[in-house]
């Protein structure tokens, strides 16, 4: 079956760096997405990786290794507003999105 | 209005009621989606519409009935629901080109409680 694994919850300190991992086993691969979802709000698109390597976007970076079925989202200079759930999703060979259950990130002062 | 809107934001209904959820996208996209989001579970894709045609129906019970009258509007008709159907129902849209869809844009969701 198809599976996306990410930690259920993580805690980090304001101003620090946190890395949220995502491993996947899917039938085919056509890209990996990261979304941010604040409590009670819609998920919003953060990043997209289809080739191996690091994509940087301001304080957020996303890394992909297709051979290892692995990605991570790196958040730098954490702010309180970064407290949210972070969803990893992989597009399979049928271009269908397979979603992880999300990682709830708690930022402490 | 911009982006993707959903109404109502909250809905409480009994198991014998009939209600409808509405979604509207103002992005000019050609694909729309219904998802179910339950606590601590992955998003569950329910239905996909491309150019108003349903292309995915992921074994969803018949008590959920989608309708897509045009590429901007999507409805989810609900009847004789069960308590386990209580969840956040998210609508999303994306642009699909040559069978490949780009990132999805989500609405704020409808929080549904079935009593």
């Amino acid at each position: 079956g198809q599976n996306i694994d990410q930690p259920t919850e993580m805690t980090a300190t304001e101003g620090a760096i946190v890395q949220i991992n995502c491993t996947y086993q899917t039938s085919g691969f056509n890209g990996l997405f990261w979304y941010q979802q604040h409590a009670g709000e819609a998920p919003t698109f953060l990043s997209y990786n289809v080739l191996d390597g690091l994509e940087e976007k301001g304080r957020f970076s996303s890394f992909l290794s297709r051979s290892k079925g692995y990605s991570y989202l790196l958040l730098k200079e954490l702010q309180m507003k970064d407290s949210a759930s972070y969803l990893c999703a992989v597009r399979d060979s049928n271009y269908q999105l397979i979603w992880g259950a999300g990682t709830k990130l708690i930022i402490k002062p | 209005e911009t982006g993707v809107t959903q109404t109502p934001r909250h809905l409480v209904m009994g198991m014998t009621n009939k209600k409808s959820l509405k979604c509207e996208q103002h992005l000019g996209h050609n694909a729309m989606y219904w998802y179910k989001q339950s606590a601590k579970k992955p998003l569950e894709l329910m239905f996909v519409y491309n150019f108003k045609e349903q292309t995915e129906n992921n074994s969803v019970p018949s008590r959920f009935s989608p309708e897509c009258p045009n590429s901007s509007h999507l409805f989810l008709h609900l009847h004789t629901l069960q308590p386990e159907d209580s969840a956040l129902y998210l609508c999303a849209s994306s642009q699909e080109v040559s069978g490949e869809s780009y990132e999805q844009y989500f609405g704020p969701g409808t929080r549904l409680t079935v009593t």
Side-chain angles (χ1 to χ4, degrees):
Chain A
Q2 310 208 85
N3 195 49
I4 309 280
D5 283 317
Q6 44 181 139
T8 304
E9 188 173 296
M10 298 181 71
T11 302
T13 305
E14 191 177 14
I17 299 173
V18 71
Q19 177 175 309
I20 302 174
N21 295 327
C22 171
T23 57
Y24 61 90
Q25 292 174 309
T26 56
S27 55
F29 178 85
N30 281 298
L32 185 144
F33 296 81
W34 283 97
Y35 282 79
Q36 179 191 60
Q37 186 177 23
H38 285 101
E41 296 184 14
T44 54
F45 170 74
L46 284 178
S47 67
Y48 172 69
N49 294 71
V50 66
L51 299 176
D52 290 349
L54 189 68
E55 294 279 344
E56 296 188 73
K57 240 189 213 183
R59 294 189 299 115
F60 292 8
S61 303
S62 56
F63 172 83
L64 174 68
S65 169
R66 288 172 295 171
S67 62
K68 295 182 179 177
Y70 167 71
S71 172
Y72 67 73
L73 181 69
L74 191 72
L75 290 76
K76 303 176 186 175
E77 302 167 18
L78 285 170
Q79 301 175 11
M80 297 304 292
K81 67 178 182 180
D82 297 330
S83 292
S85 287
Y86 291 86
L87 312 179
C88 174
V90 172
R91 195 159 56 191
D92 68 9
S93 56
N94 293 321
Y95 288 91
Q96 181 163 322
L97 274 181
I98 311 301
W99 294 84
T103 297
K104 183 178 180 180
L105 178 63
I106 300 167
I107 310 296
K108 295 188 174 178
Chain B
E1 291 278 16
T2 58
V4 182
T5 58
Q6 289 186 245
T7 55
R9 293 294 308 276
H10 300 273
L11 178 62
V12 179
M13 59 187 286
M15 289 190 285
T16 58
N17 291 158
K18 286 185 182 181
K19 296 286 184 183
S20 296
L21 310 184
K22 179 183 174 183
C23 175
E24 185 173 358
Q25 58 99 358
H26 309 268
L27 300 167
H29 289 162
N30 55 19
M32 295 187 76
Y33 313 77
W34 277 118
Y35 285 94
K36 176 183 178 182
Q37 187 175 38
S38 304
K40 299 184 179 179
K41 287 187 179 179
L43 283 173
E44 297 174 46
L45 180 64
M46 300 175 73
F47 302 103
V48 181
Y49 278 82
N50 281 315
F51 296 100
K52 303 186 299 177
E53 298 296 320
Q54 185 176 307
T55 57
E56 294 278 344
N57 178 343
N58 287 349
S59 304
V60 179
S62 59
R63 56 186 184 269
F64 295 92
S65 173
E67 179 190 358
C68 188
N70 56 60
S71 58
S72 299
H73 293 86
L74 187 63
F75 294 89
L76 188 62
H77 304 299
L78 317 171
H79 66 98
T80 58
L81 294 189
Q82 304 298 309
E84 60 264 28
D85 296 324
S86 297
L88 182 67
Y89 288 84
L90 290 164
C91 173
S93 70
S94 69
Q95 187 63 22
E96 185 166 309
V97 178
S98 301
E100 182 170 342
S101 59
Y102 294 82
E103 67 268 23
Q104 294 180 13
Y105 290 78
F106 286 82
T110 296
R111 173 67 62 186
L112 173 67
T113 304
V114 181
T115 60

